[in-house]
Amino acid sequence: MDQPIVVKVGTGVLTRAQDATLDGAALLRLVNAIAQTVGDFGKCVLVSSGAVGAGVTAFGLNEYPKDLATKQAVSAVGQTRLMHAYENLFGHFRMNVAQLLRTADDFRDPERRDNTKATLSRLLNEPAVVPIVNQNDTVAFRDYCVGDNDMLAVRVAELIGAKMLVIFSSIDGLYAPGDIGGEIIREVDDIDEVMNFAEKKTGKMSQGGMQAKLKAVRRAVNGGIETCIANGREPERLQDIVAGDGYCTRFRAQKQPA
Ligand code: GLU
């Protein structure tokens, strides 16, 4: 089996900043890029945030909810909106979507981990099905929480032996400290040298921020998975990125996969 790739996309890419609604145009471009990439390179798992972001308007909110119960309730509304959008858009490319909602236990408990792996492998054997994974936000908190979706994407990538992880965020890649808006760092051979390049800052609809991304990247590359941080608002770059080029910050794997 060809090694699959994992693409993670953040809420900031999928929602409009001004009113926190799903950005249909951004979604269409993303789906188009993934459909082309699947056509050219084979298997792909999408780890998509956006459940909370897509649900807030149903609760009269326009930013990430602060209390846990509201966040969980909002995600229950938003997750269906998100999948509805993905199903429609992938349908234009004659592709189907599959939804997997997971918590930390699904990776910790060996039986549940094996089940998740078997389900993903089976789904990936179908050429016209794209598995879409999110954290099960309605129950995931504290011990049940994988962390942010960057870390969830790494766990999925490890589980399926992914060849590459692409983290689509709202910026082009990693900047050297004090050089935001300058030129991104194109290649990182040693993740430990850039771990302090990120400020602990997130957008109003985002969870992780660059610091969380770098933690996730460190785990991925230390596990042998090449990882790229790229701009999800320019998803057409995906094919070049997967081919080994493309505008992004590319973090080289630190060792061979286990
Ligand atoms: N699971 C959350 C959502 O779908 C996002 C968490 C994250 O982006 O880290 O809204």
Side-chain angles (χ1 to χ4, degrees):
M1 153 174 145
D2 292 339
Q3 273 182 286
I5 62 157
V6 174
V7 175
K8 184 263 171 179
V9 59
T11 302
V13 174
L14 302 171
T15 52
R16 292 188 190 86
Q18 66 270 33
D19 59 3
T21 53
L22 275 179
D23 186 338
L27 273 157
L28 176 58
R29 286 176 64 190
L30 174 75
V31 166
N32 185 16
I34 292 174
Q36 306 300 331
T37 305
V38 170
D40 286 0
F41 297 96
K43 307 164 195 308
C44 174
V45 175
L46 177 60
V47 174
S48 178
S49 302
V52 178
V56 290
T57 56
F59 290 69
L61 303 169
N62 71 354
E63 61 177 16
Y64 223 84
K66 302 207 175 14
D67 76 288
L68 183 65
T70 306
K71 190 186 120 181
Q72 294 184 321
V74 164
S75 76
V77 173
Q79 182 66 25
T80 65
R81 290 182 173 178
L82 194 59
M83 290 309 293
H84 182 68
Y86 278 129
E87 183 165 47
N88 274 332
L89 292 170
F90 274 108
H92 293 307
F93 300 90
R94 295 184 176 272
M95 297 179 84
N96 306 280
V97 294
Q99 174 185 265
L100 289 91
L101 300 178
R102 290 296 182 266
T103 65
D105 275 348
D106 295 314
F107 297 92
R108 220 162 17 208
D109 178 272
E111 209 169 327
R112 290 168 74 152
R113 193 173 58 231
D114 286 351
N115 277 326
T116 300
K117 186 174 174 176
T119 306
L120 278 167
S121 308
R122 182 65 190 87
L123 288 166
L124 287 169
N125 276 335
E126 292 301 313
V129 178
V130 177
I132 302 181
V133 184
N134 195 357
Q135 187 148 247
N136 189 348
D137 292 318
T138 59
V139 293
F141 70 106
R142 289 198 196 123
D143 289 355
Y144 298 100
C145 186
V146 177
D148 51 72
N149 268 11
D150 300 311
M151 197 53 87
L152 176 65
V154 176
R155 305 296 284 267
V156 169
E158 289 170 349
L159 193 67
I160 61 174
K163 176 172 96 176
M164 184 187 288
L165 167 62
V166 179
I167 298 177
F168 267 151
S169 95
S170 321
I171 54 172
D172 284 333
L174 180 67
Y175 293 90
D179 196 29
I180 310 272
E183 185 56 25
I184 57 166
I185 298 166
R186 294 297 299 270
E187 214 168 292
V188 176
D189 286 325
D190 183 355
I191 179 74
D192 290 325
E193 286 179 2
V194 300
M195 283 309 286
N196 61 355
F197 278 23
E199 293 171 35
K200 193 173 184 334
K201 195 176 93 199
T202 60
K204 78 170 179 174
M205 295 297 288
S206 305
Q207 285 288 76
M210 189 52 82
Q211 214 172 58
K213 284 189 186 11
L214 289 181
K215 272 191 200 153
V217 171
R218 181 166 58 185
R219 178 169 172 145
V221 294
N222 284 341
I225 301 166
E226 183 170 302
T227 301
C228 298
I229 296 180
N231 193 336
R233 291 272 172 186
E234 305 289 345
E236 296 76 14
R237 294 175 182 166
L238 183 62
Q239 273 167 293
D240 284 346
I241 290 169
V242 174
D245 194 10
Y247 195 62
C248 66
T249 301
R250 186 176 300 272
F251 300 81
R252 297 285 175 202
Q254 310 273 286
K255 68 169 184 71
Q256 290 306 306

